[in-house]
Amino acid sequence: MYKLLVLLLAAVASLPAPATANHAFMATLMAIDMTEIDGGGGDHHHHEPQYFLRQQSKEGGFLPLWDPNGLLEGYVSNTFVKVVPDYVAEGVPAGMVAVKAISKVLDYGDLGDTANLPINDDNNLSTKGVYAKTRRVVSDMSTLFYILDFCGLGGGAVASVEDFEAQLLDGDASLSDFVDYCSIGQARLSRANSRAVKISLPCNGTSRSTGRPWDATLCSGESLLETAYEADWVAANLLNISHQRYVHHILVYPRGMRTWGRALDGSQCTWAGNAALGMAMGTWSYVWVAGDYWGNRQLYLHEIGHNYRLGHASTFVSADSDDKAHHGDWSSAMGYCCSDRCFNAPNQWQMGWSTAVVTLDGSVLTPGAGVTMKLPAQGETPASFAAITSDWTGATTKSNIFVSYRLTDSRYDVTQPGYIDGLLVHEYDGTVQSFGGESTFRGFISRNVNPGAGGLADPGDPLASWVDDRFGTGLVVTLLQGGDTDAWVWVCRQDGASGGREGDTAGSCHDGVDNDCNGAADEDDPACARFLSNDPFNGDGTGPGANASVPAAPAPPLIPLPHPRPAPRLLPQTGDDDVSGDDVAPAFADAVEMAENTEAQVSGGTVQEQGQQEGTVLQGTGEDPVQAPGTGDEQAQSQGDPY
């Protein structure tokens, strides 16, 4: 299926189009993404975005482009591009021009000018610490809802202005309260900055702002934009509304669009919502909602997320496939429609609503040295997730892993089993908030997993761990304990030199490293039995039992922390008071009293290596310096529906 690319030009007639020439031109891009629910049964289908260049004047027109090779994949709105058309290509649909080449000249979104978003003073963020801060925080989500009535189609407007605003802007079950909850109180979409108006239009007409035709029964392509422009014109000229002051312009269509509408190819209108990817008009953008879904909170949050360049939340189709289900992550509002839930950790960071409480890379997460950290639940505080950059793999593109703790909320964060009420692992390649790529769900550990002794799972316990066996990072993430407000998490990086295994060679059993990240190193790992000095293998694998078969290793012993390690200590985040037993997991309480020195610290959410020790306990807020333990001579190694 080809992408429909429609370019809005100042003067289409002035573009030369000889049969043998290719002429480059430049204009500003607009991209629209579709959320489709097919067949009435809730099936989801992924569609490539439709692309446009923004209209420049009333005399301007649209130049539809044919892009069978996907050259515009990843492009978003508010991008100034150079396009080279191919006038001699074969098989081009009538009225369209093939795209031969396209390049980005300037991305206005990279300049931070989208939707008047506040920019923090510190814009010089390193890749290592990028997730501990945000350049923008989405706070003003002011919205102008257009309740449309097209000549009585579908029974007319979906609701009166009063009923519409009462459902979406008032009370605990409203879209306003949903946004407040998911943003952790940082964003506002309420009566104070948003409103709804009813606009009655004929079934078709000519836009009074662009001079281009529109048709209410066409639910794709150029007509969507022209209808939005016409609604803006009516608001400004007939209703005396300054529509430019609203960040989001949401067009709510009448019900039953499947029966009275059609797409450009003549098929049914099966989408629940559409949205411009990015700020289509520089400081505001557009969303289109099908009338049958006008009361769905998650649909609005999903489409508005596209306005801020959030991509879809995806999953891999299966463990042995690189193919993705592009809306398959039920832990994020950017996944399937239509159950209420907030964004996942990468999407939260893109919005500026969450930051990393701890960031790790290869300089801190050395092989076999586990890091223990305390993660607040996502809804408790903005600084809540752990970000891990796998810069040790040698791959051209580093894998960025997000580890977050999510709890069910009976009102707004209830989704499919396996995506909520536990520890979630996601991957996201972006290092700037405006990056429009997809986030990918990688794993989940329920907080109700059977714990080990004292209510604490063992590091590396396969029942409580996620292991990255897809991209060669060797990461092992264990949910040690999940509480009502926070979780204790252990992260370890398997030793690539030993293939992530312990006990295969004598060296792997005498290096002081937990090579396989099962929480036990050397003599404490049953896999090393044949290399111990008190066994029949002479300690080096050359004794009389050298050729004997080695029995399968029993389950690792129950231990409160990765072993062996110096006794850990959690230092207070502020002040000089001692840490009380209430500040740590129950199994850590005795160890806290025994710990002594400090060799690593978390500053601004980033772990900075100061020495080497075998085990590290981290507790941070993303703001206050937090120190992790060490003991004198010990060397620390810190380690649904598509839209």
Side-chain angles (χ1 to χ4, degrees):
M1 179 179 179
Y2 64 85
K3 294 179 182 177
L4 175 63
L5 309 173
V6 183
L7 303 181
L8 311 180
L9 304 175
V12 171
S14 66
L15 288 176
T20 58
N22 296 323
H23 296 268
F25 53 88
M26 295 188 291
T28 303
L29 190 70
M30 180 186 294
I32 295 181
D33 187 85
M34 177 187 297
T35 297
E36 185 178 34
I37 304 174
D38 196 15
D43 295 332
H44 296 78
H45 299 275
H46 177 67
H47 290 272
E48 298 294 342
Q50 302 173 67
Y51 290 94
F52 308 79
L53 282 182
R54 193 166 66 215
Q55 183 86 2
Q56 301 297 324
S57 68
K58 182 175 181 178
E59 293 74 25
F62 292 87
L63 180 63
L65 297 188
W66 189 48
D67 182 31
N69 298 317
L71 299 178
L72 276 177
E73 183 177 354
Y75 278 79
V76 295
S77 298
N78 215 23
T79 306
F80 195 64
V81 295
K82 178 180 179 180
V83 177
V84 178
D86 186 350
Y87 293 112
V88 297
E90 297 181 356
V92 183
M96 303 183 75
V97 174
V99 178
K100 182 177 182 180
I102 186 166
S103 59
K104 181 173 71 173
V105 178
L106 178 64
D107 186 347
Y108 297 115
D110 287 344
L111 304 179
D113 65 344
T114 56
N116 301 315
L117 297 174
I119 303 299
N120 292 343
D121 292 336
D122 183 9
N123 293 336
N124 185 24
L125 302 178
S126 67
T127 300
K128 179 177 178 180
V130 67
Y131 302 117
K133 300 179 181 179
T134 55
R135 295 183 66 233
R136 73 175 185 187
V137 177
V138 174
S139 55
D140 178 20
M141 296 173 63
S142 57
T143 300
L144 179 59
F145 297 93
Y146 293 137
I147 309 172
L148 300 177
D149 180 357
F150 296 114
C151 62
L153 289 173
V158 296
S160 67
V161 171
E162 293 75 15
D163 290 345
F164 189 96
E165 290 185 339
Q167 180 161 335
L168 292 186
L169 301 180
D170 293 338
D172 292 340
S174 64
L175 174 63
S176 297
D177 199 54
F178 184 42
V179 167
D180 180 75
Y181 173 82
C182 291
S183 69
I184 321 175
Q186 298 171 93
R188 183 179 61 175
L189 192 166
S190 65
R191 283 187 180 272
N193 65 351
S194 303
R195 64 177 297 189
V197 296
K198 180 181 176 181
I199 293 182
S200 297
L201 296 172
C203 291
N204 53 66
T206 300
S207 172
R208 283 168 280 191
S209 61
T210 67
R212 300 289 298 173
W214 59 267
D215 187 336
T217 64
L218 282 177
C219 60
S220 62
E222 172 184 342
S223 192
L224 287 176
L225 284 173
E226 291 298 348
T227 303
Y229 293 157
E230 181 68 3
D232 281 346
W233 188 93
V234 171
N237 294 276
L238 302 183
L239 301 180
N240 198 30
I241 296 174
S242 299
H243 64 82
Q244 298 94 334
R245 65 179 289 267
Y246 296 94
V247 178
H248 308 286
H249 298 189
I250 299 183
L251 288 79
V252 182
Y253 277 53
R255 294 181 178 87
M257 191 167 55
R258 290 175 182 270
T259 60
W260 55 262
R262 69 189 189 281
L264 288 173
D265 60 3
S267 61
Q268 279 188 325
C269 299
T270 56
W271 49 262
N274 284 292
L277 297 174
M279 289 296 151
M281 305 304 290
T283 58
W284 79 85
S285 202
Y286 296 111
V287 167
W288 297 260
V289 171
D292 295 310
Y293 299 90
W294 76 269
N296 187 271
R297 295 174 296 236
Q298 185 254 340
L299 177 62
Y300 287 105
L301 190 61
H302 178 113
E303 304 302 349
I304 287 174
H306 282 316
N307 286 173
Y308 294 105
R309 298 193 174 193
L310 271 61
H312 287 137
S314 66
T315 59
F316 287 104
V317 173
S318 63
D320 56 356
S321 173
D322 290 334
D323 295 332
K324 291 185 178 181
H326 293 280
H327 299 78
D329 180 9
W330 283 100
S331 73
S332 178
M334 298 311 296
Y336 287 134
C337 187
C338 294
S339 63
D340 286 338
R341 73 269 195 199
C342 300
F343 294 126
N344 61 27
N347 297 154
Q348 285 280 116
W349 175 77
Q350 285 184 274
M351 296 292 283
W353 296 347
S354 293
T355 56
V357 67
V358 172
T359 65
L360 302 170
D361 62 12
S363 68
V364 176
L365 197 63
T366 56
V371 173
T372 302
M373 64 189 74
K374 185 178 182 180
L375 297 183
Q378 180 171 291
E380 293 291 320
T381 178
S384 59
F385 64 84
I388 308 167
T389 300
S390 60
D391 54 0
W392 57 83
T393 62
T396 303
T397 302
K398 302 173 184 177
S399 175
N400 300 310
I401 299 296
F402 288 65
V403 181
S404 61
Y405 186 56
R406 289 274 293 280
L407 297 175
T408 298
D409 181 274
S410 59
R411 298 173 303 160
Y412 299 135
D413 224 355
V414 181
T415 184
Q416 302 297 313
Y419 291 90
I420 198 72
D421 221 26
L423 200 69
L424 293 103
V425 181
H426 289 88
E427 184 174 3
Y428 174 66
D429 292 335
T431 56
V432 295
Q433 291 170 275
S434 59
F435 176 71
E438 295 183 344
S439 62
T440 304
F441 173 83
R442 295 295 310 280
F444 172 80
I445 307 168
S446 171
R447 73 165 177 152
N448 297 317
V449 68
N450 293 327
L456 192 69
D458 296 325
D461 182 346
L463 294 177
S465 298
W466 170 81
V467 180
D468 184 11
D469 53 6
R470 181 179 289 273
F471 296 121
T473 65
L475 279 173
V476 177
V477 178
T478 301
L479 176 58
L480 299 175
Q481 186 181 69
D484 293 336
T485 59
D486 50 48
W488 285 97
V489 180
W490 185 74
V491 178
C492 185
R493 166 189 163 195
Q494 293 175 337
D495 180 21
S498 65
R501 295 183 296 273
E502 193 145 8
D504 284 4
T505 65
S508 68
C509 292
H510 293 85
D511 57 4
V513 175
D514 181 8
N515 305 89
D516 53 5
C517 289
N518 70 344
D522 297 350
E523 68 271 14
D524 293 295
D525 194 323
C528 286
R530 62 174 176 151
F531 294 112
L532 301 181
S533 59
N534 60 351
D535 70 18
F537 299 87
N538 293 342
D540 60 2
T542 62
N547 296 320
S549 61
V550 179
L558 296 176
I559 48 178
L561 283 174
H563 181 76
R565 58 166 33 81
R569 182 185 186 187
L570 293 177
L571 297 186
Q573 298 178 23
T574 57
D576 298 321
D577 296 334
D578 292 336
V579 178
S580 68
D582 293 337
D583 294 325
V584 298
F588 296 115
D590 294 339
V592 168
E593 298 300 327
M594 299 168 56
E596 296 180 358
N597 297 327
T598 299
E599 295 293 340
Q601 78 175 29
V602 178
S603 179
T606 301
V607 179
Q608 299 175 333
E609 187 178 23
Q610 303 294 329
Q612 293 187 352
Q613 81 182 23
E614 176 134 16
T616 303
V617 180
L618 304 176
Q619 182 183 15
T621 64
E623 298 292 339
D624 300 322
V626 179
Q627 295 182 322
T631 58
D633 298 331
E634 289 290 336
Q635 292 278 321
Q637 299 180 38
S638 276
Q639 301 296 354
D641 302 322
Y643 319 54

